Amino acid sequence: MSLQSRRAQPIPGRHLYPPPQNLQLISWNKKESLQGFADPKSPATWIHSAAHIVTERISPPIPMSQHPAPQDPLTATGGPPESPLPPVHCIRSTRPAAPVGYLTRPRQPREQRKSPSGGGTHGKGRHSRSSRRHRQERRGEAMAASAASGKVLPLLAVAAALAAALLYAAPFSKSLGGEGCSLLPHDHFWIASERVVTLGRVGPAAVEVKGGLINAIAVGDYRSFVLRRPLVDYGDAVIMPGLIDVHAHLDEPGRAEWEGFSTGTRAAAAGGVTTLVDMPLNSFPSTVSEETLKLKLDAARDKLYVDVGFWGGLVPENALNPSKLESLLNAGVLGLKSFMCPSGINDFPMTNSTHIEEGLVTLAKYKRPLLIHAERIPDVASDDELDGELDPRSYATYLKSRPATWEESAIRDLKRAMKDTEVGGRSEGAHLHIVHLSDAETTLDLLKDAKQSGARLSIETCPHYLAFSAEEVPDGDTRFKCSPPIRNAANKENLWGALLDGHIDMLSSDHSPSTPDLKLMEEGNFMKAWGGISSLQFVLPVTWSHGRKYGITLNQLVSWWSEKPAELAGQKNKGAILPGYHADIVVWKPEAQFHLDDSHVVYHKHRNISAYLGKELSGHVLSTFVRGNLVFAEGKHAGAACGVPILAK
């Protein structure tokens, strides 16, 4: 029967067991070809596995595009939202499941039934009396056995209830391991809560994890579902896809004293980030060739607590040399990054629009993105720029040194490059991505126009632009220095509006630490201090804490921090809780408040350089799973670093 059918036709027969109510099991059949998984949200790709289920009725899930806008339980007033999925009854059994419909033991036609005596079909004549006598004897034996079992069945029921209770143990205190890749000593288990973000909805569900992948999702009243594997029930905590941070500087090799793979990925795991994409600069050497990528991979070996991919660098040396660029792309970088202004790193020089346009031609063959730091010193100085002697300890001085016109000038210079990415353009298939947008006025308007014209373009901004405004940055506090700079409060409001309206596509940390001495915190000189916000561990609570004012939902968080970043980085098996996807999951308590003071454990190499220290935040991370491994729980990391380096193929 076609899985495209909206309703399945029942298989004639009778039910084996009374099914629980309001539960839908969605699972992935590994025996099926993965060719249909190109679009996992299509009904054709949803299949009910040969796992053991008995079901009264199963219908393929509604495609994501057809779901009504979900009501988030954190902002709703009338309790949890109704599921957009049709109620389906199902239960685990010891029999293999039919793909759709009723699974029953069909009654045989009378003429095909075996005689109890084993003599073929029922007949008339001399065997009929003996057959009746035999049936009466068997019936008497069955009644006697039933009477005897009446004393045993209650004991079995009590034993089953105790076993089920043991499987619902949520705290890890007695089961935490720590020697291997996972704190949980299972590779096949379920996790569940009242708030699971999946299928465009938020509600009760259980997620089956098997062999590092999501194997099935039981949507609905999972506590009535008989589970044959260990279950970790997180109560009302939120279970959602792990965050994917496409903009982080881990600084290794060459500058591990700034951060490093080990501390950076431990901080990521503690913050619910399950995948990072490392930037090609701030390490030494910068990742601009196949050889330098190999150095980075060597440096990352046995140090990754989460999965890590790598961007390569587009610099003048390789931009006009397609063979060098192709060599870097063939080595596995997920895309390229370029600067339109001086980067501050000697072996990562800036590019101009010609370099970018030529690089896009090569990238179009690979269908990978070009990430651009879009600040460019205008040809004509702005009236807002520095004039005369100004106090270098004043944040206003630094803000004037990098006005919004720098961002505007860069986007205007990219006009032809953006046009080339349109259908029929010279670089059709390539994709431009603007990193850490700060200016939400003219620059944003130019980008919106380019999108509307058909350019393949996406935009990110960062939590620090959404959390802070220039007016509140203390003079001399160089922890707030970044490029482009944090702008005024009105600009911050406009950034939130653009994010909520979908003009800004995603968020990233732009985690860019250094050694404390480079921040010049005692001197407080904004003009000389190293720029960069140290934030990797805090991006989830920061986004949630400041977004609540604007009514953000859990589904929006997943879009900004998981789905859209996965798409940018070309990770088709990440970014959602769906069957067949990597079991990259964060479990957290949105309502839990904490003060980021000296007693709070911070896993960054240098905790004192973060601008978020001293802030009150909401959103406590309980557990982080990477490919099914519990890598962080109860303030403890797994004993081994088993994250995977991600290379494009």
Side-chain angles (χ1 to χ4, degrees):
M1 183 178 294
S2 171
L3 291 175
Q4 294 278 13
S5 60
R6 184 64 188 90
R7 286 180 179 268
Q9 298 300 316
I11 300 172
R14 55 193 173 86
H15 296 299
L16 296 179
Y17 303 101
Q21 303 296 309
N22 300 322
L23 183 76
Q24 179 169 14
L25 182 72
I26 303 163
S27 58
W28 177 46
N29 187 347
K30 294 181 181 179
K31 296 179 181 179
E32 294 288 330
S33 168
L34 291 183
Q35 293 178 355
F37 249 78
D39 180 9
K41 299 178 181 66
S42 166
T45 64
W46 291 96
I47 50 184
H48 297 275
S49 79
H52 301 153
I53 58 173
V54 177
T55 174
E56 179 182 1
R57 188 193 72 203
I58 291 180
S59 304
I62 300 171
M64 296 280 284
S65 59
Q66 298 178 19
H67 285 172
Q71 185 183 18
D72 197 298
L74 291 186
T75 57
T77 57
E82 293 184 1
S83 169
L85 304 174
V88 177
H89 314 303
C90 59
I91 190 171
R92 290 269 182 182
S93 174
T94 57
R95 295 172 59 89
V100 289
Y102 293 97
L103 179 64
T104 62
R105 182 181 295 134
R107 297 177 63 87
Q108 292 177 314
R110 178 177 293 276
E111 62 273 10
Q112 295 181 11
R113 295 179 194 169
K114 295 279 186 177
S115 166
S117 61
T121 59
H122 287 280
K124 297 177 183 178
R126 64 188 181 87
H127 294 294
S128 59
R129 287 198 195 112
S130 63
S131 297
R132 280 197 298 273
R133 189 164 51 250
H134 186 75
R135 286 199 300 272
Q136 290 172 354
E137 292 172 358
R138 293 287 298 274
R139 190 176 297 118
E141 293 172 359
M143 291 175 65
S146 176
S149 66
K151 299 178 181 180
V152 178
L153 286 176
L155 294 176
L156 292 176
V158 172
L162 289 173
L166 289 173
L167 290 179
Y168 278 86
F172 290 101
S173 301
K174 296 181 180 179
S175 61
L176 279 178
E179 297 303 319
C181 298
S182 179
L183 295 168
L184 189 64
H186 304 283
D187 65 357
H188 188 184
F189 56 93
W190 292 75
I191 61 173
S193 88
E194 293 295 326
R195 293 185 290 182
V196 178
V197 187
T198 182
L199 300 167
R201 66 186 294 282
V202 180
V207 180
E208 184 184 23
V209 176
K210 184 177 181 180
L213 300 176
I214 296 168
N215 193 56
I217 307 169
V219 178
D221 184 13
Y222 60 87
R223 288 186 176 87
S224 64
F225 190 54
V226 179
L227 298 164
R228 299 171 58 210
R229 294 283 173 181
L231 169 70
V232 182
D233 191 343
Y234 284 98
D236 67 347
V238 170
I239 294 177
M240 73 181 203
L243 279 64
I244 298 175
D245 188 357
V246 295
H247 192 152
H249 297 268
L250 297 179
D251 308 326
E252 198 173 356
R255 294 190 177 95
E257 69 275 13
W258 290 21
E259 185 63 87
F261 286 113
S262 181
T263 56
T265 58
R266 282 166 62 87
V273 178
T274 54
T275 302
L276 294 170
V277 189
D278 184 37
M279 281 292 167
L281 71 162
N282 292 14
S283 54
F284 182 78
S286 295
T287 310
V288 295
S289 66
E290 180 181 2
E291 294 73 23
T292 51
L293 176 61
K294 288 179 179 177
L295 292 175
K296 180 152 286 197
L297 290 169
D298 289 342
R301 187 174 291 114
D302 299 328
K303 297 177 183 177
L304 306 181
Y305 285 84
V306 302
D307 288 355
V308 177
F310 307 92
W311 302 120
L314 181 75
V315 293
E317 179 185 354
N318 60 23
L320 304 179
N321 189 329
S323 62
K324 282 189 175 182
L325 213 50
E326 289 178 2
S327 174
L328 177 57
L329 290 165
N330 289 334
V333 296
L334 304 181
L336 301 175
K337 164 76 179 291
S338 74
F339 267 70
M340 297 185 71
C341 62
S343 70
I345 299 295
N346 292 334
D347 67 342
F348 203 95
M350 61 180 283
T351 53
N352 57 33
S353 57
T354 300
H355 297 132
I356 290 169
E357 290 162 17
E358 294 304 315
L360 283 172
V361 173
T362 302
L363 280 165
K365 302 175 186 177
Y366 293 81
K367 292 182 168 49
R368 297 181 202 168
L370 174 60
L371 287 69
I372 297 181
H373 182 125
E375 283 187 295
R376 177 181 177 273
I377 302 173
D379 297 327
V380 178
S382 167
D383 293 337
D384 295 332
E385 294 184 29
L386 295 179
D387 183 21
E389 291 292 328
L390 296 172
D391 181 7
R393 287 180 51 85
S394 168
Y395 183 74
T397 300
Y398 174 64
L399 188 58
K400 284 186 176 182
S401 75
R402 295 183 92 103
T405 53
W406 281 34
E407 292 184 80
E408 178 187 340
S409 176
I411 300 306
R412 291 190 187 280
D413 202 41
L414 287 173
K415 184 176 180 180
R416 188 166 62 186
M418 292 188 291
K419 187 76 175 174
D420 285 347
T421 67
E422 296 178 12
V423 175
R426 180 168 174 251
S427 303
E428 180 182 351
H431 179 100
L432 277 169
H433 178 74
I434 305 301
V435 301
H436 50 46
L437 177 72
S438 172
D439 175 35
E441 296 183 357
T442 305
T443 304
L444 178 62
D445 290 339
L446 292 171
L447 291 169
K448 287 160 62 175
D449 291 344
K451 278 188 171 186
Q452 192 170 8
S453 298
R456 289 201 65 198
L457 177 68
S458 57
I459 307 165
E460 75 179 47
T461 192
C462 305
H464 45 270
Y465 299 123
L466 301 170
F468 304 128
S469 61
E471 293 87 342
E472 62 188 280
V473 176
D475 287 346
D477 196 343
T478 55
R479 296 176 302 171
F480 290 86
K481 180 181 178 180
C482 59
S483 301
I486 295 164
R487 304 196 187 280
N488 61 33
N491 185 81
K492 180 180 75 172
E493 294 296 316
N494 290 339
L495 281 175
W496 271 112
L499 182 64
L500 293 167
D501 291 341
H503 301 304
I504 295 174
D505 302 279
M506 67 191 77
L507 297 174
S508 73
S509 71
D510 190 14
H511 176 67
S512 185
S514 69
T515 54
D517 59 301
L518 291 177
K519 295 297 288 186
L520 303 179
M521 289 188 289
E522 291 186 6
E523 182 180 340
N525 188 326
F526 276 103
M527 304 306 293
K528 294 182 178 179
W530 183 262
I533 304 290
S534 180
S535 60
L536 188 51
Q537 186 176 331
F538 316 129
V539 290
L540 175 56
V542 167
T543 306
W544 180 252
S545 300
H546 291 272
R548 289 186 305 171
K549 170 185 173 183
Y550 304 91
I552 68 171
T553 67
L554 294 173
N555 283 292
Q556 287 173 314
L557 270 183
V558 169
S559 175
W560 300 332
W561 274 112
S562 303
E563 292 174 355
K564 296 290 181 63
E567 183 179 354
L568 177 72
Q571 300 305 297
K572 296 180 180 179
N573 291 329
K574 292 183 181 291
I577 294 179
L578 294 174
Y581 275 49
H582 293 162
D584 296 347
I585 295 168
V586 56
V587 185
W588 63 297
K589 284 270 195 179
E591 299 85 1
Q593 296 184 332
F594 62 95
H595 185 65
L596 197 51
D597 56 17
D598 291 340
S599 65
H600 192 88
V601 179
V602 177
Y603 295 97
H604 301 151
K605 180 155 287 186
H606 305 290
R607 61 167 293 137
N608 63 321
I609 64 172
S610 177
Y612 294 109
L613 292 181
K615 306 300 180 184
E616 286 282 346
L617 299 174
S618 295
H620 174 63
V621 173
L622 301 177
S623 299
T624 303
F625 295 84
V626 178
R627 296 184 188 243
N629 289 324
L630 181 60
V631 299
F632 178 81
E634 294 185 355
K636 182 178 181 180
H637 289 84
C642 299
V644 176
I646 302 171
L647 297 176
K649 298 179 180 178

